Amino acid sequence: MITIKSLQIKNYRQYRGEHNVNLLPSKNKNFIILVGPTGSGKTNLLNAITWCLYGIESSIKRDDERELGIINDKAMTNLGKDGVETASVKIVLDVNGKYYSIERKAKGTKLAGGKKYIRPDSELTVMLQTGKDIISSGSPQFTIDGILPLPIKDFFFFDGEKLDEFFKEKGSQKVETAIFDITQISILDKTISHIGGMLKDIRKTSGAESPNLKALEEKISGLQDIIGKNRTELEKKVKMKAQTETDIKKISEELSKFSTGSVNQLEGKISTLNELIDKLDQQRTDELEESENHLISNAGFVYLNDAIASTIKTINSKIEKGIIPPNFKDTFLKERLELGKCICGTDISKGEHRKAVEKLYEETSPLSGASQFLIEGKVILNSGINRKTSSFIEERKGYAESIKKLDSELERHRKDLAGAKRELEGIDIEEVKRKVGTREKFESAYKDLIAQIATLEVYIKNSESELRDSEKDYDAELAKSKRYEVASNKIKLYEGASNLLDRVRIDIVTKMRKIIEEKTNKYFLSLMWKKDTFSRVEIDETYTISIYNTFGTECLHALSAGEREILALSFIAALRDVSGFNLPIIIDTPLGRISKEPKLNIAKLLPKYLSGIQTIILATDQEYTDEVRSALLPFVSNEYKLDYDESESRTEVKKYA
Amino acid sequence: MNPNLVQRLKNMPKQFVEYNPRNVNIDKTVREKYNELKESEHSPFEELTEIFFMAAIVGFVNKKRVPLKVRYPLINYQTGYTSEQKWLMKCMVISEKNGLEMLATEDGQREILKIVEEYANGGIKLLHYEVLGAKLGDYTKRLENELRSELTKSKGSKG
């Protein structure tokens, strides 16, 4: 477990002079609150921490702030000729009972002509406890990455205002990126890519000596390029599709708020009909797929009806003739003849007894050993043919009727939709006309994008299959020549490793996605104040998150900002759980975009959600209302106020009064 | 001892073994047809195992058996098929060659699968043409009509 004990800031942005903030939580009071108005330096406190740890200020919001530089501007202005000013941030941590002190410093000076110059590089020192000694780390950044890796920092230190955007758009890349970051899959990706590079090199070297291999190597390389380009194009199109979907939704939302005429009613009707058509379309696709599977799985039994009947008849005739099951299995008689001894002990190595057993063996059908297998086969075939052929026509009828019913429902709804759209187009309001026209364009572009994505996916699949075949051909060609034995073995080894890693990667990502889905679901349903509204959260294989209400309808787009924040907090908690890191949480403006009632609900939930975890909250005074404060106070160990003096451009950290 | 009996004793396994190889083979020259049938959005097939099975049926029904030139172990037999499907494959050969005895030995069972591979090799081009070729109409609709008429035919002949 890691706890931030204290933060010392000196001349960092608006924190002029030296400021010491005690952040150590007391028992059962794990919250530390820092309150200040906009511009007082809340976000820069978060920036100070990420700068100290990683040398980056992850939440710089304004360009003018970026231009001002890390060292307090007034301190730099006051600097005399040749003087040096330093900005520093020092964090003292308790890492599983051991002392760690991390300090980063940036230095600045005044150049000739009075121009301020801040050195771009900073100086990082990490002091850590080993046994009773405190030593300086030889590789400070490496030490920090070991306790808090950079890719996962966003799940521990985050901006509440940005949380709202996490799930605002469906199909956002953010969910996928977050899962990949938390599983640190990039390490595996680097290894896979490295092995791919080595394979390419070996093929190139071997190909230089054989024209056949060279041609194949070129084909493989060409295919890899095509796949890479198509993948990039696919990613682009997927993003464009998501953006177009957002644009369509935005216009629809705007139209639904239009109170003039019957615009909002018509828009509501269009939206309901669209949802219904999508649902029915999906049902139709599923039903068609099921119908095709039914057809294919029954085809064998129908086509081979005669062959099955003839086989069953043959087996039956063997049973009737007593050949199977046999009185004696030929395997048993063979064993006895080889041993020369009957089970009763009689010598059958020669003489009359042997002749009798030999005769018996001769009369036994070779099929006798397979009798159990044949009888099982007969049962399998009999039950299959009865089951599959007797009800086939009826089952086909069932599928046809079900698809016909869906088709007629779809036709009816599509007609209604076209009618509602025509009516909307007919409304003589310039803005409505413009919006409807733009939406139509987006809808047409959306359809094109779906087709383009599908085509690209097929291209990629086909090229991948051709690539696999070419690689097999290459390996076969290589194996033909003794000369290439070493290269062939190396390629086999690298291909094996690469395939294994690919499988491991899929396995890890799939498992993690499932675990994160389960945990997000659990957190969301337990944190949500509307207990009977939502039934489950799902993250599918394309990393699209969906929320279902108790009627089974997907309703992510309908979540309020507060509900979206709860979903984001649940998702982040799930990610934190699987990360295996037990770190403090810092949330900047957690309730910034939340309206009054949900604000209080979230404030009441936070201590439950972050039970036992050191939590530092940076809040505005509008967020930290009296009600919110009294909800959190039983869990607060320290409260500070960020007091910004505009004339001095300086923030003071004071005890909250 | 009768020489045939001696030979039989020599060839006979200690006990019956079901021949269950890891893969069945296709001819290398037709692998593209398999891939196309698997990947095309106009094809109802999703798995190579389904395609091989259907190709064998098509070859058997059309009495088209083509030996494999270059054997290519593409299809997983061991885990790719149910015992029901494995028995259907056996039925093709047993009924055609009156060859129930082939099941008694591993060699016989191997021969059965070799024949099934040849049926699939003969059937794959026909199947590919049926599904993705220039024929008019939807393959699954044609398949359904054909299966219905097959069933009516066999019920008629039984009746």
Side-chain angles (χ1 to χ4, degrees):
Chain A
M1 182 165 173
I2 298 178
T3 309
I4 302 179
K5 292 168 86 171
S6 66
L7 177 68
Q8 189 187 81
I9 310 180
K10 192 185 152 201
N11 286 335
Y12 173 85
R13 296 202 174 268
Q14 63 261 68
Y15 292 92
R16 187 147 62 86
E18 195 174 306
H19 307 264
N20 288 296
V21 191
N22 174 17
L23 298 171
L24 196 64
S26 53
K27 205 185 169 194
N28 298 329
K29 292 190 169 194
N30 51 315
F31 278 66
I32 293 110
I33 314 279
L34 293 114
V35 189
T38 307
S40 63
K42 292 184 301 302
T43 303
N44 275 338
L45 260 184
L46 184 58
N47 280 326
I49 291 169
T50 59
W51 179 70
C52 175
L53 294 171
Y54 311 107
I56 51 172
E57 297 173 286
S58 47
S59 301
I60 286 282
K61 285 177 182 167
R62 299 194 311 263
D63 285 347
D64 55 341
E65 255 187 308
R66 195 170 285 116
E67 275 166 23
L68 274 174
I70 276 174
I71 305 176
N72 179 273
D73 199 47
K74 193 138 192 171
M76 282 297 281
T77 311
N78 293 344
L79 201 61
K81 193 173 168 270
D82 299 329
V84 175
E85 190 55 89
T86 306
S88 66
V89 178
K90 182 176 169 184
I91 301 171
V92 176
L93 301 174
D94 179 317
V95 181
N96 300 320
K98 287 188 173 160
Y99 169 91
Y100 272 65
S101 158
I102 301 166
E103 186 173 28
R104 193 179 289 271
K105 286 180 183 168
K107 286 189 174 154
T109 186
K110 256 193 187 160
L111 301 173
K115 200 177 171 199
K116 298 164 196 164
Y117 172 73
I118 299 171
R119 286 179 57 165
D121 53 332
S122 57
E123 190 186 302
L124 176 68
T125 321
V126 175
M127 305 296 291
L128 60 128
Q129 185 184 350
T130 58
K132 284 181 181 170
D133 302 323
I134 304 285
I135 58 158
S136 170
S137 166
S139 36
Q141 198 58 65
F142 186 75
T143 307
I144 295 169
D145 284 343
I147 53 174
L148 212 172
L150 177 64
I152 67 163
K153 78 163 172 40
D154 289 344
F155 312 114
F156 294 90
F157 310 156
F158 50 86
D159 183 343
E161 286 184 333
K162 285 186 186 163
L163 271 186
D164 179 47
E165 288 164 13
F166 223 108
F167 300 116
K168 213 168 181 177
E169 309 309 344
K170 207 168 172 64
S172 149
Q173 291 269 305
K174 285 182 180 172
V175 174
E176 183 178 357
T177 312
I179 293 179
F180 280 18
D181 281 350
I182 211 78
T183 49
Q184 300 201 44
I185 208 77
S186 58
I187 299 168
L188 207 55
D189 283 341
K190 273 184 199 158
T191 317
I192 293 171
S193 150
H194 180 65
I195 291 176
M198 288 166 89
L199 257 172
K200 216 173 176 175
D201 287 348
I202 297 176
R203 286 197 174 116
K204 224 170 212 164
T205 324
S206 319
E209 295 178 43
S210 146
N212 280 353
L213 285 175
K214 189 169 171 44
L216 281 165
E217 186 265 312
E218 279 171 4
K219 190 178 175 192
I220 290 170
S221 179
L223 282 165
Q224 282 167 339
D225 285 349
I226 292 172
I227 294 168
K229 275 180 197 153
N230 280 336
R231 280 214 185 112
T232 314
E233 190 62 19
L234 180 67
E235 265 174 41
K236 208 169 96 188
K237 300 277 179 200
V238 169
K239 275 185 195 157
M240 278 165 74
K241 183 180 150 238
Q243 184 56 48
T244 314
E245 200 177 1
T246 311
D247 293 339
I248 294 170
K249 257 188 200 147
K250 202 174 153 201
I251 296 179
S252 300
E253 267 172 30
E254 285 165 5
L255 284 168
S256 66
K257 285 174 192 153
F258 230 91
S259 51
T260 330
S262 50
V263 178
N264 50 2
Q265 284 105 315
L266 280 169
E267 196 49 40
K269 193 175 172 186
I270 288 170
S271 155
T272 313
L273 283 167
N274 270 329
E275 272 176 34
L276 211 59
I277 288 168
D278 282 351
K279 207 171 154 188
L280 286 170
D281 249 341
Q282 188 55 49
Q283 271 179 29
R284 190 182 186 276
T285 310
D286 294 345
E287 191 70 12
L288 265 179
E289 202 176 306
E290 213 179 289
S291 160
E292 280 182 355
N293 288 340
H294 175 262
L295 202 58
I296 288 165
S297 70
N298 281 279
F301 275 95
V302 180
Y303 274 130
L304 301 174
N305 210 326
D306 293 343
I308 298 166
S310 140
T311 306
I312 293 175
K313 201 174 151 195
T314 317
I315 298 175
N316 277 340
S317 87
K318 303 280 177 196
I319 295 172
E320 277 162 23
K321 286 178 190 161
I323 295 170
I324 52 171
N327 292 330
F328 296 104
K329 270 191 184 177
D330 61 347
T331 44
F332 166 75
L333 294 170
K334 182 193 176 193
E335 187 189 72
R336 289 294 120 196
L337 284 170
E338 278 170 358
L339 286 170
K341 207 169 218 174
C342 181
I343 47 164
C344 63
T346 311
D347 179 11
I348 55 165
S349 61
K350 55 187 184 236
E352 286 308 306
H353 287 303
R354 181 166 184 90
K355 274 187 186 162
V357 179
E358 276 178 5
K359 189 165 179 284
L360 202 57
Y361 178 66
E362 216 167 349
E363 283 165 7
T364 315
S365 163
L367 278 176
S368 65
S371 67
Q372 198 184 335
F373 178 64
L374 291 171
I375 291 165
E376 274 170 19
K378 186 194 130 180
V379 173
I380 290 172
L381 291 170
N382 247 334
S383 95
I385 204 158
N386 288 335
R387 189 165 31 88
K388 301 233 171 175
T389 54
S390 62
S391 53
F392 179 76
I393 304 275
E394 272 311 300
E395 283 165 3
R396 294 312 304 161
K397 228 167 128 184
Y399 282 114
E401 274 167 12
S402 158
I403 291 165
K404 200 174 158 191
K405 197 177 152 212
L406 286 167
D407 280 342
S408 91
E409 272 183 67
L410 270 167
E411 199 189 331
R412 188 162 49 85
H413 293 315
R414 283 197 176 116
K415 263 187 194 161
D416 290 349
L417 179 67
K421 280 187 171 173
R422 266 198 310 276
E423 230 179 295
L424 190 66
E425 281 164 23
I427 291 176
D428 199 17
I429 300 171
E430 192 46 45
E431 201 184 341
V432 173
K433 275 187 183 302
R434 194 167 38 79
K435 282 190 195 299
V436 170
T438 316
R439 182 170 64 182
E440 244 171 54
K441 275 183 203 152
F442 281 143
E443 280 171 346
S444 153
Y446 186 74
K447 272 185 199 158
D448 288 348
L449 282 166
I450 288 178
Q452 286 165 11
I453 287 169
T455 313
L456 277 168
E457 280 172 344
V458 172
Y459 278 155
I460 292 171
K461 249 187 175 178
N462 288 345
S463 306
E464 280 175 341
S465 151
E466 206 182 334
L467 176 66
R468 277 194 300 275
D469 288 345
S470 303
E471 283 172 345
K472 274 187 191 169
D473 288 346
Y474 183 93
D475 295 349
E477 188 67 31
L478 200 65
K480 274 186 203 166
S481 168
K482 198 99 181 114
R483 251 186 334 151
Y484 302 121
E485 206 176 320
V486 176
S488 172
N489 286 338
K490 273 188 188 170
I491 286 178
K492 265 187 214 154
L493 178 70
Y494 290 143
E495 277 178 348
S498 178
N499 290 339
L500 179 69
L501 287 174
D502 276 339
R503 286 202 300 275
V504 169
R505 185 188 191 283
I506 294 170
D507 205 32
I508 292 176
V509 173
T510 312
K511 270 189 195 153
M512 281 299 173
R513 180 173 55 79
K514 280 305 241 185
I515 295 171
I516 290 166
E517 178 190 71
E518 268 170 40
K519 285 181 178 281
T520 308
N521 189 49
K522 201 180 103 195
Y523 277 115
F524 182 74
L525 295 182
S526 74
L527 285 177
M528 202 56 225
W529 48 86
K530 292 180 192 166
K531 292 287 174 207
D532 299 326
T533 310
F534 303 102
S535 67
R536 67 183 195 282
V537 180
E538 276 182 15
I539 304 172
D540 69 14
E541 53 275 23
T542 62
Y543 301 95
T544 301
I545 198 153
S546 304
I547 282 226
Y548 293 90
N549 62 20
T550 38
F551 303 107
T553 311
E554 207 288 313
C555 56
L556 181 75
H557 64 281
L559 294 189
S560 68
E563 289 162 350
R564 265 202 307 274
E565 177 150 336
I566 289 293
L567 178 61
L569 286 172
S570 306
F571 178 63
I572 284 181
L575 292 171
R576 270 204 323 269
D577 278 0
V578 300
S579 80
F581 285 88
N582 201 345
L583 305 167
I585 308 284
I586 307 174
I587 317 178
D588 183 17
T589 9
L591 308 167
R593 291 192 179 177
I594 316 293
S595 52
K596 199 182 166 193
E597 196 192 339
K599 191 182 284 185
L600 189 59
N601 278 327
I602 295 177
K604 282 178 186 166
L605 286 169
L606 280 177
K608 184 181 156 198
Y609 164 75
L610 296 161
S611 166
I613 303 169
Q614 181 190 19
T615 306
I616 300 166
I617 288 186
L618 306 159
T620 61
D621 24 19
Q622 284 92 15
E623 281 178 279
Y624 201 55
T625 60
D626 290 344
E627 283 167 314
V628 168
R629 186 171 184 245
S630 46
L632 288 176
L633 215 51
F635 308 94
V636 174
S637 59
N638 294 313
E639 273 179 306
Y640 296 102
K641 194 178 176 188
L642 303 178
D643 207 355
Y644 182 64
D645 180 345
E646 202 163 349
S647 61
E648 283 291 307
S649 306
R650 180 176 197 261
T651 295
E652 284 267 9
V653 185
K654 293 177 176 169
K655 277 273 172 199
Y656 193 87
Chain B
M1 198 195 286
N2 174 347
N4 286 341
L5 194 63
V6 174
Q7 193 58 36
R8 191 180 147 192
L9 271 171
K10 205 176 143 194
N11 293 342
M12 218 190 103
K14 272 213 157 43
Q15 62 186 65
F16 171 77
V17 181
E18 186 188 352
Y19 179 60
N20 200 17
R22 187 161 180 258
N23 292 307
V24 275
N25 300 284
I26 62 157
D27 195 302
K28 203 174 176 184
T29 54
V30 294
R31 65 182 170 183
E32 208 40 56
K33 299 218 177 308
Y34 275 88
N35 287 341
E36 282 167 16
L37 281 167
K38 182 174 181 255
E39 304 299 343
S40 168
E41 57 177 312
H42 302 295
S43 163
F45 300 106
E46 285 172 6
E47 301 293 336
L48 290 171
T49 46
E50 282 177 346
I51 302 167
F52 176 87
F53 187 57
M54 190 55 105
I57 292 169
V58 172
F60 173 76
V61 170
N62 290 283
K63 301 201 181 327
K64 208 164 165 49
R65 232 181 98 182
V66 180
L68 275 64
K69 283 182 201 142
V70 186
R71 294 163 74 78
Y72 190 69
L74 182 72
I75 317 288
N76 190 321
Y77 176 78
Q78 217 168 65
T79 56
Y81 294 106
T82 60
S83 40
E84 209 170 72
Q85 288 169 317
K86 287 176 183 172
W87 264 101
L88 288 184
M89 290 189 213
K90 291 179 180 84
C91 280
M92 293 181 206
V93 184
I94 293 169
S95 66
E96 194 72 2
K97 296 181 70 101
N98 203 7
L100 195 67
E101 270 72 15
M102 290 172 88
L103 290 174
T105 61
E106 206 175 329
D107 282 347
Q109 294 179 62
R110 186 178 290 117
E111 179 65 16
I112 288 180
L113 267 191
K114 192 175 156 249
I115 296 171
V116 172
E117 287 172 353
E118 291 175 0
Y119 277 135
N121 197 30
I124 188 68
K125 284 182 191 160
L126 294 173
L127 182 67
H128 186 271
Y129 181 72
E130 272 289 329
V131 181
L132 303 175
K135 274 209 170 185
L136 283 176
D138 185 342
Y139 166 70
T140 48
K141 275 189 189 145
R142 286 200 308 275
L143 177 66
E144 173 150 11
N145 291 338
E146 234 177 270
L147 293 180
R148 279 172 182 270
S149 89
E150 280 286 326
L151 265 184
T152 324
K153 215 165 61 190
S154 75
K155 272 184 187 160
S157 69
K158 272 176 200 163

